[in-house]
Amino acid sequence: MQPISFLSDFGTDDEFVGVVHGVIARVEPQLRVIDVTHGVPAGDIRAGALALLRAVQYLPEGVALAVVDPGVGTGRKAIAAETSWGYFVGPDNGLLAPAVAMVGGAEMVVSLEDERFRVPSLGGATFDGRDVFAPAAAVLAAGQASIKDLGPVLEADAITPLLLPLVEVDAAGLRGEIWWLDKFGNAQSNISPADLEELGLKPGDEVRLVVGSIEHHLPWVATYGDVEPGKALLHTDSYGLVAIAAREGNAAADLNLSTGLHIEVRKPA
Amino acid sequence: MQPISFLSDFGTDDEFVGVVHGVIARVEPQLRVIDVTHGVPAGDIRAGALALLRAVQYLPEGVALAVVDPGVGTGRKAIAAETSWGYFVGPDNGLLAPAVAMVGGAEMVVSLEDERFRVPSLGGATFDGRDVFAPAAAVLAAGQASIKDLGPVLEADAITPLLLPLVEVDAAGLRGEIWWLDKFGNAQSNISPADLEELGLKPGDEVRLVVGSIEHHLPWVATYGDVEPGKALLHTDSYGLVAIAAREGNAAADLNLSTGLHIEVRKPA
Amino acid sequence: MQPISFLSDFGTDDEFVGVVHGVIARVEPQLRVIDVTHGVPAGDIRAGALALLRAVQYLPEGVALAVVDPGVGTGRKAIAAETSWGYFVGPDNGLLAPAVAMVGGAEMVVSLEDERFRVPSLGGATFDGRDVFAPAAAVLAAGQASIKDLGPVLEADAITPLLLPLVEVDAAGLRGEIWWLDKFGNAQSNISPADLEELGLKPGDEVRLVVGSIEHHLPWVATYGDVEPGKALLHTDSYGLVAIAAREGNAAADLNLSTGLHIEVRKPA
C-alpha cells in the first residue's frame, strides 16, 4: 500500500477533489492521499508541472496523481509512467514530464485504456480525473494491478515534453523569466545562482535587475534578515533558484511582477 | 469503522473545518474523513444539496456529514437518517433530501437530541457542526452508538424535501434552468438528453438555446473534441445532464451564464 | 503515534501545505495530520494565534504545528513547547503563546537547532515550515525523538508572549475590539458576557453599541431565532464571547465591521 499525492487545477469550491478521494477510497479504504495543491490556475499546464516538479522530492514515494487537463475530451492520451520514485498518473500533455525527468525518467509508460480500471461515466467523458486517473492511481497504490494491466505499453520516451524557457546570456547580461509567484509575493525565476556568478556577480553584490523598462538595484543576500524590513532583495530561495523577495513585504506587488514576465540582469560595470 | 464524507459551506479561511475534524478525531482517532467540499456558497442549501447529490454515488459507503445551516439557532431539527448507503447527518432543511432519495430513501430518521452525543458548547448554540453534527457522525462511523441512541425516532418520510425545478415543455420548446456552474465555466442544466430528444433533436444537431434575450445556436456533440478550440457546445456531461461548455474555454463567461438562470431550448423548425 | 494538527497562513493555491504533509509522511507514513486552517491572512500572527486558541480545545491531544512566520530568515527562534495537552511547534513570535497558556503553560521549551531533525534546504532558509517545523513535529508525533533531542532547552517561560487587548471600563461604558470576523460575517469581540453584566446589562436587554460614530441598538439574545430574519443581534457565541451577528444575514457587512475595529458598549441609562 503506497500513498497517493494528488495535484490538480480543480479548486475546492466544487466537489471534484472530494469525488476523486471517494473513488480512491472505494477502490481501497486504507489508501492515504496527500493533497499537494488544487489551486493550479485552471488549465495552466506549465504552472501545474512546475508545482509538481518543486514538490516531488518532498513527497513520499508512491503514486503522483496530477490532473491539469484542458484537453479532456480530445485525443490527448491518459497515461501512467513508472519511475524509480514511483508512478505518475495523468494526462499526457506535458504536465508530468518535468517531474518524471527530475526523478530519473520513465522506465515504462502505458496508455490508460483498459476499461476494467475505469469508472463508467454517467454521461460524457469530461471528468477523467474521476473516471480514468483516480481508479488507475488507486489500483497502482493498492497493488491491485501492475502498470501493464492498465493498457498498452508506449515507448518510455513517448511522454509529451514541456518546453521550459532557458536563461539567455549575451554581452549585456542575462535574460530570464519569472515562473512562479507565491502567495507571499515571492517571485521565483528560472535563473540559478551559478548564472549570476558567471556574470561576475557574487553574494553581497548589488544586482541591476531590469523589469519592464525599470532598472532596480537589489542586494543579493543570503536571507531576509540581511535587509531592512520592507526592502526588496535577491536571494537563493528554498528550491535553489534566484528569487525576488521583500523582507516582511510583497515583492510581486512592489515591483509589479507577474508569472511569465521576462526579466534581465545586467552585467556589473 | 466507516469513513465520513464531510460537506459544508464553512470555507477554509476560518478553522471551522479543522475543528470538526478535531471533534471527530477525539471520538475515535482512526476515523477517516473525506472533505467533499467546503466551498458551498454561504447558506445556499440548494447548492449544497446538489453537490451532495452529485457526489454521493462516488463516495464510500459510511456516513455523510453535511452542514449548510442558515437556520442554526432556530427551530429547525438536527437529524440523522439511515439508508441503504449509510447514514446522513445534518440539519433538516432540505440539504439531505435529494441525496437520501437518490440512494433509495430513509429507513429511519432520528432527531439529534441526546446530550450524551453532543459536545457541550462554551457559549451559545451557533456551531452545531462542531457540537451536534460532528459527534453524531463520529459515533455512528465508529460504531459507538446506534442511530436510535441519538434521539427520538421521527417518521422516516419526515425529512424536509427540497423543491428542485422541473423542465417545462410547451409547443415552442422547453424551459429549464442552470443549476451548477463549475470552476471551469461549465454550466450544468436540469435538462436531460431525453428531454432534447423528445423535442425532436438528436446528437449532432444544432440546438437553438435562448439565454436572456439572445438565441445561441450550439452544436449538440459527444465531447469537447468535436468542436474547434474556444467554441461553445451542448453535451451530456459526466453526470448525465445537458451542459453548456466551451472547448478549452469558459462557457459561463462567454454566454453570461449564472446559477439559477432560466434557459430555453427552441423546438427545431 | 499522535496526531498532528496543522495551522498556517500558507493558503492552498501554492503547494506549501502539500509539501509539509509530504515531509511528515516521509518521516512516518502512518501519521495523521488535521488541517486546522491554512487561511490565516499572510503574516498575521495575531489572527493565527487566535485561531489556534479557539481550536486547541477541540483538537486531539498530540502535536500542534503552527506556522505564521513573517520573520522567517531573521533571528526569531524556532521552538517546540511541551505542555499537558501535547507539543506546540512553530516560530517563537507570539503565535503559540495564547494556546500554550490556555492549556496550562509550557513545561519545557527547546530551540529547534539540531540539524539531524531538519530537512536540508536546496537553497536559502526561507521555508522553515518544510525544513524545520514539519520534521520536528513529525518526529515528536511519531515518538522518534524526545523534545530534548531537538535542540537546547530554553527557559519554560521564555515563549514570546502575544499582547491581546483588554476590555476597558469607565463611567460611560466599556471599550472592546472586534478580533475575528468569520466567513458568515459574525464578529467576535474580546468582550465577555460578564463584562456586559458588570455594566448592569442582562440577557434580553437592548444594548447600545457604538461602531465608529454610529450608535446601534441591538438586542442581547440567546440565539439567532430570538430575532426576525435579517436583524442584527448581540449574543454569546459558541466560544463564550460576545459577538455581533445577524440572523440569516451578514453582520459584518450590515454594520461595517472589520477585524481590529474598536467598539464601545454604553452603560444603560
Side-chain angles (χ1 to χ4, degrees):
Chain A
M1 201 87 73
Q2 293 184 298
I4 297 173
S5 293
F6 176 24
L7 174 149
S8 78
D9 66 347
F10 291 168
T12 51
D13 282 347
D14 301 300
E15 75 282 2
F16 300 133
V17 169
V19 162
V20 166
H21 279 251
V23 168
I24 291 168
R26 288 168 74 112
V27 170
E28 169 48 61
Q30 295 304 314
L31 286 171
R32 300 291 179 106
V33 182
I34 290 177
D35 292 297
V36 179
T37 178
H38 302 292
V40 174
D44 190 336
I45 294 166
R46 192 174 104 163
L50 289 172
L52 184 62
L53 175 66
R54 289 189 301 268
V56 67
Q57 59 203 310
Y58 294 103
L59 299 173
E61 296 186 2
V63 178
L65 167 62
V67 189
V68 177
D69 194 13
V72 66
T74 68
R76 70 93 187 92
K77 280 198 171 61
I79 60 170
E82 184 172 7
T83 73
S84 64
W85 176 89
Y87 299 100
F88 289 79
V89 175
D92 184 32
N93 59 13
L95 178 66
L96 307 178
V100 166
M102 149 86 83
V103 299
E107 294 158 11
M108 179 176 293
V109 180
V110 304
S111 178
L112 301 173
E113 297 177 19
D114 195 308
E115 299 287 340
R116 292 174 300 161
F117 302 106
R118 291 183 165 207
V119 175
S121 177
L122 302 168
T126 57
F127 190 1
D128 281 359
R130 178 191 75 190
D131 298 336
V132 177
F133 300 122
V139 296
L140 289 171
Q144 293 182 5
S146 81
I147 186 169
K148 283 186 181 172
D149 296 331
L150 301 179
V153 175
L154 308 176
E155 298 294 318
D157 61 357
I159 297 184
T160 300
L162 187 74
L163 296 181
L164 290 174
L166 298 177
V167 169
E168 294 172 23
V169 182
D170 65 17
L174 64 80
R175 282 185 299 283
E177 191 173 326
I178 301 296
W179 63 11
W180 177 38
L181 287 188
D182 73 17
K183 176 192 171 178
F184 301 97
N186 301 308
Q188 186 182 70
S189 75
N190 63 342
I191 303 167
S192 72
D195 292 327
L196 295 187
E197 283 164 1
E198 282 177 28
L199 282 191
L201 290 161
K202 56 184 190 308
D205 283 355
E206 191 175 78
V207 177
R208 296 160 60 203
L209 176 82
V210 181
V211 178
S213 56
I214 301 174
E215 181 173 305
H216 301 275
H217 292 206
L218 301 182
W220 180 11
V221 298
T223 189
Y224 300 155
D226 294 337
V227 301
E228 296 299 305
K231 292 292 182 190
L233 57 97
L234 284 188
H235 70 125
T236 307
D237 74 3
S238 69
Y239 295 92
L241 286 168
V242 172
I244 310 165
R247 178 177 174 184
E248 295 166 40
N250 186 306
D254 292 351
L255 279 73
N256 203 19
L257 306 173
S258 55
T259 304
L261 187 73
H262 292 262
I263 57 177
E264 291 179 43
V265 177
R266 293 266 161 80
K267 186 173 281 193
Chain B
M1 201 87 73
Q2 292 184 299
I4 296 173
S5 293
F6 176 24
L7 174 150
S8 78
D9 65 347
F10 290 168
T12 50
D13 283 346
D14 301 300
E15 75 282 2
F16 299 134
V17 169
V19 163
V20 166
H21 278 250
V23 168
I24 291 168
R26 287 168 74 113
V27 170
E28 169 49 60
Q30 295 305 314
L31 285 171
R32 299 292 179 106
V33 182
I34 291 176
D35 291 298
V36 179
T37 178
H38 302 292
V40 174
D44 189 335
I45 295 167
R46 191 173 106 163
L50 290 172
L52 184 62
L53 175 66
R54 290 190 300 268
V56 67
Q57 59 203 309
Y58 295 102
L59 299 173
E61 297 186 1
V63 177
L65 167 62
V67 189
V68 178
D69 194 13
V72 66
T74 67
R76 69 94 187 92
K77 280 198 171 61
I79 60 170
E82 184 171 7
T83 72
S84 64
W85 177 89
Y87 299 100
F88 290 79
V89 175
D92 183 33
N93 59 12
L95 178 66
L96 307 178
V100 166
M102 149 86 85
V103 299
E107 293 157 11
M108 179 177 293
V109 180
V110 304
S111 178
L112 301 173
E113 297 177 18
D114 195 308
E115 298 288 340
R116 291 176 300 162
F117 303 104
R118 291 182 165 207
V119 174
S121 176
L122 302 168
T126 57
F127 190 1
D128 281 359
R130 178 190 75 189
D131 298 335
V132 178
F133 300 123
V139 296
L140 289 172
Q144 294 182 5
S146 81
I147 186 170
K148 282 186 182 174
D149 295 331
L150 301 179
V153 175
L154 307 176
E155 297 294 317
D157 61 356
I159 297 183
T160 299
L162 187 75
L163 296 180
L164 291 174
L166 299 178
V167 170
E168 293 171 25
V169 183
D170 65 16
L174 64 80
R175 283 184 299 284
E177 191 173 325
I178 301 296
W179 64 9
W180 178 38
L181 287 188
D182 72 18
K183 176 192 171 176
F184 301 97
N186 301 308
Q188 187 182 69
S189 75
N190 63 342
I191 302 167
S192 72
D195 292 328
L196 295 186
E197 283 164 1
E198 280 176 28
L199 282 190
L201 290 161
K202 57 184 189 309
D205 284 355
E206 191 175 79
V207 176
R208 296 160 62 202
L209 177 81
V210 181
V211 177
S213 56
I214 301 174
E215 182 172 305
H216 300 276
H217 292 206
L218 302 182
W220 180 12
V221 298
T223 190
Y224 300 155
D226 294 336
V227 303
E228 295 300 305
K231 292 292 183 190
L233 58 97
L234 284 188
H235 70 124
T236 307
D237 74 4
S238 69
Y239 295 93
L241 286 168
V242 172
I244 309 166
R247 178 177 174 184
E248 295 166 41
N250 186 306
D254 292 351
L255 280 74
N256 202 19
L257 306 174
S258 55
T259 305
L261 188 73
H262 291 263
I263 57 177
E264 290 179 44
V265 176
R266 292 267 161 80
K267 188 173 280 191
Chain C
M1 201 84 75
Q2 292 185 298
I4 296 173
S5 293
F6 176 24
L7 173 150
S8 78
D9 66 346
F10 290 168
T12 51
D13 283 347
D14 301 301
E15 74 282 3
F16 300 133
V17 169
V19 163
V20 166
H21 279 251
V23 168
I24 292 169
R26 288 168 74 113
V27 170
E28 170 49 62
Q30 295 304 314
L31 286 171
R32 299 292 179 106
V33 182
I34 290 176
D35 292 298
V36 179
T37 179
H38 302 293
V40 173
D44 189 335
I45 295 167
R46 192 173 104 162
L50 289 173
L52 184 61
L53 176 65
R54 290 189 300 268
V56 67
Q57 59 203 310
Y58 294 103
L59 299 173
E61 295 186 2
V63 178
L65 168 62
V67 190
V68 177
D69 194 13
V72 66
T74 68
R76 69 94 187 92
K77 281 199 171 61
I79 59 169
E82 183 172 7
T83 72
S84 64
W85 177 89
Y87 299 100
F88 289 78
V89 175
D92 184 32
N93 59 12
L95 177 67
L96 306 178
V100 166
M102 148 87 84
V103 299
E107 293 157 11
M108 178 177 292
V109 180
V110 305
S111 178
L112 301 173
E113 297 177 18
D114 195 308
E115 299 287 339
R116 293 175 298 162
F117 303 105
R118 291 182 165 208
V119 174
S121 177
L122 303 168
T126 56
F127 190 0
D128 281 359
R130 178 191 75 189
D131 299 336
V132 178
F133 300 123
V139 296
L140 288 172
Q144 293 181 5
S146 81
I147 186 169
K148 283 186 182 174
D149 296 331
L150 301 178
V153 175
L154 308 176
E155 297 295 318
D157 61 356
I159 297 183
T160 299
L162 187 76
L163 296 181
L164 291 173
L166 298 177
V167 169
E168 293 171 24
V169 183
D170 65 14
L174 62 80
R175 283 185 299 283
E177 192 174 325
I178 301 297
W179 63 9
W180 178 38
L181 287 188
D182 73 17
K183 177 192 170 177
F184 302 97
N186 301 308
Q188 186 182 70
S189 75
N190 63 342
I191 302 167
S192 72
D195 291 329
L196 295 186
E197 283 164 1
E198 282 178 26
L199 282 191
L201 289 161
K202 56 184 190 309
D205 283 355
E206 191 176 78
V207 176
R208 296 160 62 200
L209 177 82
V210 181
V211 177
S213 57
I214 301 174
E215 182 174 304
H216 300 275
H217 291 207
L218 301 182
W220 181 10
V221 299
T223 190
Y224 300 155
D226 294 338
V227 302
E228 295 299 306
K231 292 293 183 191
L233 58 97
L234 284 189
H235 71 123
T236 307
D237 74 3
S238 68
Y239 295 93
L241 286 168
V242 172
I244 310 165
R247 177 176 174 185
E248 295 166 42
N250 186 306
D254 292 350
L255 280 72
N256 203 19
L257 306 174
S258 55
T259 304
L261 188 73
H262 291 263
I263 56 177
E264 290 179 45
V265 176
R266 292 267 162 79
K267 187 173 281 192

